[in-house]
């Protein structure tokens, strides 16, 4: 059983940051419709985050980061930070204190920081490699939505586990899905990441200066998923890694009628690289 100290600290820091005005939770409501199952669709009912309201260059929110949002340090190379605009309480970010591009390769030190947090607090991790994959900031950050032991990490987790067990069909887009081998979030992550990147023809960190294509990473204690991306949006919906976890957000510009007519699976298929581009990618571990 994990101690969940990071999670408890994040909730306390959230309380103080909310009182100080540094934390700005998003106001949403859950939209229920059988056509959406098993996805969860939330509608943004308040103003969008400040960084999405104005066009043009945006200041880097992590250089420097808001001190009231800091949960703790992870060695000397990473910081555990609250997401300033969360939907879920204690939405955590692992950031680099110095500039590192979101569009660059994740390095062993990044995975060590993830492993340090994961050994204490479990949940759904995700990473958006660039704006095409739904990243809203260009500074390196991985994200964690904490979950207690025994809780599903996301709406699509049962389907992912079913695929790994051979009980579910594969998806039509380019992706790789593997079992996690170390339930404490250990050293398998770096190897899985490198293998998925090679298999999806995203490149090789030993040979390529940066990944060759946009992608999303999602993982929990049991599985590790990489999805190759072609575009960021469809029908007014901005899709980041959480879309492939089964979590969607509707804003004023979203065409919800399109979503209900075509279904959320069509939304994901529209933004991911078709599996036919690299046929062997539909093979599972």
């Amino acid at each position: 059983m994990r101690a969940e100290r990071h999670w408890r600290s994040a909730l306390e820091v959230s309380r103080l940051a909310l009182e100080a005005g540094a934390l700005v939770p998003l106001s949403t409501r859950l939209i229920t419709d059988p056509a959406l199952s098993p996805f969860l669709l939330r509608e943004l009912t308040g103003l969008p985050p400040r960084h999405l309201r104005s066009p043009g260059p945006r200041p880097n929110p992590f250089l420097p980061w808001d001190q009231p949002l800091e949960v703790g340090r992870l060695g000397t190379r990473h910081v555990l930070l609250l997401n300033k605009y969360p939907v879920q309480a204690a939405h955590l970010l692992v950031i680099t204190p110095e500039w590192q591009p979101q569009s660059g390769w994740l390095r062993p030190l990044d995975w060590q920081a993830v492993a340090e947090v994961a050994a204490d607090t479990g949940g759904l991790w995700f990473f958006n490699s660039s704006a095409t994959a739904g990243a809203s900031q260009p500074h390196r950050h991985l994200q964690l939505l904490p979950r207690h032991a025994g809780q599903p990490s996301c709406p699509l987790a049962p389907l992912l586990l079913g695929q790994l067990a051979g009980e579910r069909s594969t998806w039509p887009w380019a992706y790789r899905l593997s079992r996690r081998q170390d339930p404490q979030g250990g050293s398998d992550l770096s190897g899985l990441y490198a293998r998925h990147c090679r298999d999806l023809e995203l490149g090789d960190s030993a040979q390529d200066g940066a990944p060759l294509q946009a992608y999303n990473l999602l993982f929990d204690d049991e599985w590790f998923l990489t999805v190759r991306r072609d575009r960021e949006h469809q029908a007014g919906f901005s899709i980041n890694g959480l879309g492939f976890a089964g979590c969607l957000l509707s804003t004023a510009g979203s065409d919800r009628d399109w979503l209900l007519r075509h279904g959320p699976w069509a939304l994901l298929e529209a933004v991911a690289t078709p599996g036919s581009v690299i046929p062997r990618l539909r093979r599972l571990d």
Side-chain angles (χ1 to χ4, degrees), residues 46-251:
L47 287 173
R50 184 174 56 198
H51 65 277
L52 297 181
R53 289 183 228 158
S54 57
R58 302 164 184 159
N60 186 334
F62 306 137
L63 284 180
W65 60 92
D66 285 353
Q67 289 298 320
L69 301 180
E70 182 179 320
V71 177
R73 300 296 180 100
L74 304 170
T76 60
R77 304 298 296 272
H78 292 83
V79 177
L80 190 61
L81 198 69
L82 290 173
N83 183 340
K84 185 177 183 69
Y85 303 104
V87 172
Q88 174 192 310
H91 181 161
L92 290 166
L93 308 177
V94 172
I95 72 165
T96 54
E98 76 288 342
W99 166 253
Q100 292 291 336
Q102 184 79 349
S103 58
W105 293 109
L106 290 172
R107 300 296 184 181
L109 284 174
D110 297 315
W111 292 116
Q112 290 174 23
V114 168
E116 181 178 340
V117 177
D120 171 81
T121 297
L124 176 69
W125 289 87
F126 65 102
F127 177 78
N128 310 310
S129 73
S130 62
T132 301
S136 62
Q137 305 295 344
H139 186 121
R140 176 79 46 81
H141 62 287
L142 293 101
Q143 307 189 51
L144 171 65
L145 296 177
R147 299 285 185 268
H148 295 299
Q151 288 183 322
S153 63
C154 64
L156 297 190
L159 297 181
L160 291 164
L161 291 172
Q163 283 198 36
L164 287 172
E167 299 167 357
R168 301 277 197 273
S169 62
T170 56
W171 292 329
W173 46 79
Y175 72 101
R176 287 287 279 143
L177 174 63
S178 298
R179 294 185 185 278
R180 285 285 306 280
Q181 298 164 358
D182 181 350
Q184 296 305 313
S187 60
D188 67 309
L189 289 170
S190 184
L192 285 173
Y193 170 64
R195 179 152 53 91
H196 281 201
C197 287
R198 288 193 298 268
D199 285 354
L200 285 167
E201 298 184 3
L202 301 175
D204 188 324
S205 62
Q207 301 176 11
D208 301 300
L212 307 177
Q213 182 85 9
Y215 63 93
N216 294 120
L217 297 178
L218 301 96
F219 54 96
D220 66 9
D221 287 346
E222 299 182 88
W223 49 265
F224 187 98
L225 172 69
T226 308
V227 179
R228 179 168 153 159
R229 294 288 300 275
D230 279 352
R231 56 186 299 186
E232 181 266 342
H233 66 278
Q234 171 68 18
F237 287 88
S238 175
I239 307 299
N240 65 14
L242 286 179
F244 294 89
C247 301
L248 303 172
L249 183 66
S250 173
T251 65

